[in-house]
Amino acid sequence: MLSTRLVRKGNHILLVLIAEKLKEEFTDVAFIADGLGCDLNLMNNKGRNDLAEHSTIVKLSVPNPSVALNLWAQFPASENPQALNTILLADLANQAIGRNQGFRFAGKPCVVLIDPMYARRLVHSDLLRYVPTPWSFHNPPQQTLTLHGPMTAMERRLSELLTNARNFGMSAKGGMPIGFNLPEKQRTMYIDWLNRNNVVYKHLL
C-alpha cells in the first residue's frame, strides 16, 4: 500500500499517464480507478476472474460525501465520518485486491494507492482481508514481502514514477506523448492539468 496525494482530483490524471507507461514496460499491468474514465473501475472490477494473471494498481481516494451520507443513514449512531469512510475504503480495497489475491493468487502483486488521510487508518483498521506490505499486497501470507524484502521490477518502477510524477507529466519526452494520445475524456483532463500548471505544450500538438 502506497500513500500518495496523487489520488486526489487535482493531480490524479497523472496516475493514468503512469499506468500507461507501466503497461508499455510491463505488459501484465491493469489499473483500477474511479473518476478517470478507465476501462476498469471500483465497481466493474467486482467478481472478475480475468485479472489473476495481471499486476494490478488500485486507486483509492476519499469517498464522495454523498456516498458516506448514505452509509451514515444506515449507521446513525456513528458520529465519525472518517470511520465510515474507512469502512467504505476497506470494502472497495478488499474487492479490488481480490482480483489477483486470495484464492486467485497466481504470483502477481496488487499495489494500492491511497490518500494519506486514510492510509494508516485503513492498515490498522482490521477491515482488510489481505496482508499489506509497505508497497503492495501479496498472498498467501508466507509469500508476503517483509519490510526489507525486495520489490518487484514493476513496483520499483511505479515508485520511481510516483516520486517524479509532476516532472514526468510535464515532460515532452515522458508523459506528454502518452497524455496527448489518451482517449478524448482523459486527454481533456490531461490538457486541463497542463493548463492549470502553466505548462507550454501547444507546439507539441
Side-chain angles (χ1 to χ4, degrees), residues 68-82:
L69 285 174
N70 288 335
L71 186 61
W72 207 330
Q74 299 175 47
F75 299 94
S78 175
E79 297 181 359
N80 187 339
Q82 283 195 327

Side-chain angles (χ1 to χ4, degrees), residues 12-167:
H12 66 173
I13 188 59
L14 296 178
L15 295 178
V16 175
L17 304 185
I18 289 171
E20 291 301 315
K21 183 63 175 177
L22 290 172
K23 289 176 185 178
E24 291 177 1
E25 299 177 3
F26 305 92
T27 57
D28 67 340
V29 173
F31 182 46
I32 302 172
D34 279 352
L36 286 168
C38 298
D39 292 336
L40 290 170
N41 58 53
L42 294 170
M43 293 303 296
N44 69 15
N45 83 92
K46 295 181 179 181
R48 294 181 63 148
N49 296 313
D50 59 332
L51 298 176
E53 298 292 339
H54 289 73
S55 298
T56 56
I57 301 169
V58 180
K59 168 186 170 278
L60 284 183
S61 52
V62 178
N64 186 292
S66 63
V67 177
L69 285 174
N70 288 335
L71 186 61
W72 207 330
Q74 299 175 47
F75 299 94
S78 175
E79 297 181 359
N80 187 339
Q82 283 195 327
L84 294 178
N85 281 339
T86 302
I87 293 171
L88 287 168
L89 289 171
D91 179 62
L92 293 170
N94 284 327
Q95 289 286 347
I97 296 166
R99 295 316 96 214
N100 68 352
Q101 303 299 305
F103 70 87
R104 295 184 178 90
F105 183 72
K108 301 294 184 178
C110 172
V111 182
V112 176
L113 309 177
I114 186 168
D115 192 291
M117 290 175 59
Y118 286 92
R120 184 176 296 275
R121 180 181 287 269
L122 185 58
V123 168
H124 296 290
S125 68
D126 295 325
L127 295 171
L128 293 173
R129 297 196 298 264
Y130 303 91
V131 181
T133 72
W135 46 81
S136 65
F137 291 81
H138 292 256
N139 254 5
Q142 61 267 28
Q143 292 180 310
T144 300
L145 297 179
T146 64
L147 183 62
H148 303 291
M151 301 172 81
T152 67
M154 189 280 290
E155 290 166 338
R156 285 195 301 273
R157 182 62 169 140
L158 171 59
S159 180
E160 175 188 324
L161 288 167
L162 290 172
T163 300
N164 299 289
R166 288 182 61 83
N167 288 337

Side-chain angles (χ1 to χ4, degrees), residues 161-196:
L161 288 167
L162 290 172
T163 300
N164 299 289
R166 288 182 61 83
N167 288 337
F168 178 70
M170 295 178 182
S171 172
K173 294 183 179 180
M176 283 189 182
I178 297 172
F180 294 148
N181 286 287
L182 290 172
E184 183 177 355
K185 179 180 178 179
Q186 294 175 335
R187 182 175 183 271
T188 299
M189 294 172 69
Y190 175 57
I191 289 176
D192 177 65
W193 182 85
L194 291 174
N195 289 332
R196 284 187 284 108

